[in-house]
Each structure stands twice: as C-alpha cells, then as structure tokens.
Amino acid sequence: MTFAKLNQFVFGVVALFAISGAAQAELCPGVQKISLMYGGNELTHWEGNSSQIHKLTLPNGFVLGVKTEQGAREIYERDFQRSLTQTTELVKISLYDYSAAVPRYLTSTWGGSQSQQGYGPKGGADRVDELGSGIVLNLEKPACTITKLDLAAIPTEKELGQSSESMIPDEKTKQWMQVAQQDIAKKRYVLSMFKDSLPPEVRTRLAQLLNKVGIELELIKSGDAHDAKAYMVGYAQTMLSAIETQFGKEHGRDIERQLKSEFGF
C-alpha cells in the first residue's frame, strides 16, 4: 500500500468515525439534567452523563455518591427481547456509600432520561435503607424514543467504558445467600414476589405456570420479615440466578408472554 493510498484509508476511517459519532449524538439530542431531592427539598443538581461521581452529605449525615451514565446498547436489547417495539431513552444510575473510608457500591438501576426515580427504605427504583427517608432524582431531557433500528447507533457497555459492579454483602445478606444455596442444593426453587405487585387472578395463573416445572411462588407482604434488602439481595437474587441457570432466561420470558396473551396487559 502506497503512502498516498494509506493516507486515503486513514482519512476514510476518520470520516467514518466522525459520521458515526455525529449519528449517535443526534439520536437523542439535548442536555441531560439531574436534580436530587431529599424531604421535598432540592439538595443539588448537575448536567450531563459521565463516569464522574457526584458526592453530597444528606441531612441524616449519610455521604452519598451518585453516578449517571448514558444507557448502553445492551440494556435496550434486553428490553426489545421482551417484545417491545420501542422504548424511551435510558440512563444508568449508580449509588455509592461514601460514609466510610472505602466507598461502597449500593445499586444500579436504569430510568428514562425524562423521569423521576426514588430510592429509600420503601423502594421505588430500588430499596436503599441507608438513605434514611429516601431521595428522589428528577431527570429532565427532551423526550426521545428508541427503536430497534437505532441499536447500531448506540454504544455498547465496552465502548462506554461501563462495567458491572457488585454490592459487598453484609452479614444478614450472607446468611440469606446461604439459605438460598441450601434450598438450591435440595432442588428447591423459589420465586419471590410482592403480594400486591400483580392482580390476584394473574398471581394464581403465574403460580400454576411456575409449579408445572417445579418452581414455587413466594408472596411477600409489606412489613414481612422477608420485606428487607438483605433478603431481596441475599435470597431472592441468588435464587433468581439459579432459576435462570436451571430453566433458562427464555423460560421466564415465555411465561411473561403467556400471561400477556391471557390477560391482555
């Protein structure tokens, strides 16, 4: 390859990346704004999505870190596997405990770029007991709809430099993990769900579909001993991972599609 042709090739690649970058930027234009509320009052606000962590001390003394990032292609692919034809632009939200010398990862959730996300002892986007009465994140950006045709223009987790993080379990969580592992060793599989999360007739039908393959449906009531973060992270998540390994992720999607066809939701 001559230097002239090499230069043409390099400029061609640069132009291609420039066009690709412009397409991604124009897919959902506008500035992402985030404000953090505590007890009905705004404590802080910022703009943009990046790996930078915003730290602040809540009125209860807890030092919180918040990271908001662009939603990666994988999260949209997951939603489209659930028979969705389109979805809103998504933001990855991660929370950290900076109260100790070594920051501790708490949770990651995904929410619309134009939405309200709550975290606290009563749940919302996720249950985080450490936050006291809880926080609310208000996300504001011009509304944007994503379809399957847009997937190629959305960066992957690797391209965005995003990585999966795991919460360091406390002693109660470890105990629940052990209980789950003991049940799994006995071939006992339990799917935990809050009692009021589905209409009674849907719950009954779900239990029937699960029981056919040997999965139990456990209904949790608010205020129950199982209504705790340690249980949900230690037992329920450990058990869910085992169920997906044993029966396959597609089995759960098949049940979801079956319920939708029967009850029209």
Side-chain angles (χ1 to χ4, degrees):
M1 182 181 284
T2 66
F3 282 111
K5 289 184 177 180
L6 179 61
N7 285 335
Q8 289 177 4
F9 174 75
V10 171
F11 282 122
V13 172
V14 171
L16 177 62
F17 276 102
I19 292 171
S20 175
Q24 291 179 8
E26 290 301 319
L27 183 59
C28 289
V31 177
Q32 180 69 64
K33 298 180 180 180
I34 307 103
S35 63
L36 187 149
M37 311 288 291
Y38 186 97
N41 298 314
E42 180 181 310
L43 295 186
T44 186
H45 63 272
W46 64 96
E47 294 183 350
N49 291 327
S50 70
S51 59
Q52 180 182 1
I53 296 177
H54 294 261
K55 289 176 281 188
L56 72 153
T57 302
L58 300 180
N60 68 347
F62 183 79
V63 184
L64 173 67
V66 182
K67 180 169 64 176
T68 58
E69 302 174 276
Q70 177 183 348
R73 184 187 305 170
E74 288 86 348
I75 197 66
Y76 293 103
E77 290 175 336
R78 182 201 69 181
D79 285 349
F80 288 137
Q81 287 175 351
R82 298 174 177 174
S83 301
L84 294 179
T85 57
Q86 63 181 36
T87 186
T88 58
E89 181 187 11
L90 296 173
V91 175
K92 181 180 180 181
I93 304 164
S94 302
L95 303 184
Y96 301 84
D97 175 3
Y98 270 83
S99 298
V102 179
R104 183 169 64 99
Y105 169 75
L106 295 173
T107 186
S108 288
T109 63
W110 288 261
S113 61
Q114 190 183 65
S115 67
Q116 189 175 79
Q117 306 293 320
Y119 303 85
K122 295 183 179 180
D126 197 7
R127 176 173 179 164
V128 184
D129 295 328
E130 293 90 339
L131 299 180
S133 60
I135 65 167
V136 173
L137 293 178
N138 291 313
L139 284 73
E140 295 182 16
K141 187 180 178 184
C144 181
T145 300
I146 305 291
T147 69
K148 288 185 178 181
L149 296 177
D150 298 318
L151 286 177
I154 301 173
T156 63
E157 291 176 342
K158 183 177 181 180
E159 291 168 341
L160 291 170
Q162 296 179 4
S163 59
S164 298
E165 300 177 88
S166 300
M167 187 182 77
I168 300 175
D170 58 18
E171 288 305 314
K172 288 184 178 179
T173 303
K174 289 179 181 178
Q175 291 171 6
W176 277 118
M177 291 172 69
Q178 291 175 354
V179 174
Q181 290 162 357
Q182 290 168 1
D183 282 346
I184 293 166
K186 299 173 185 176
K187 302 297 183 184
R188 179 175 183 247
Y189 297 97
V190 182
L191 182 66
S192 303
M193 181 175 291
F194 283 100
K195 183 177 181 180
D196 299 327
S197 59
L198 290 173
E201 64 275 14
V202 179
R203 282 202 315 267
T204 300
R205 181 57 175 149
L206 173 59
Q208 293 173 346
L209 294 172
L210 292 172
N211 288 338
K212 281 185 178 180
V213 295
I215 302 175
E216 301 174 30
L217 179 62
E218 179 177 42
L219 298 177
I220 301 172
K221 298 182 293 183
S222 180
D224 188 293
H226 293 169
D227 179 18
K229 186 69 176 281
Y231 172 83
M232 298 306 295
V233 174
Y235 187 91
Q237 288 190 11
T238 300
M239 187 62 73
L240 180 59
S241 295
I243 289 173
E244 290 181 345
T245 300
Q246 178 71 18
F247 301 97
K249 292 184 178 181
E250 195 58 36
H251 179 262
R253 298 189 187 107
D254 288 341
I255 289 180
E256 185 178 353
R257 285 191 283 266
Q258 178 71 26
L259 293 174
K260 286 181 178 178
S261 67
E262 292 184 18
F263 297 96
F265 62 87

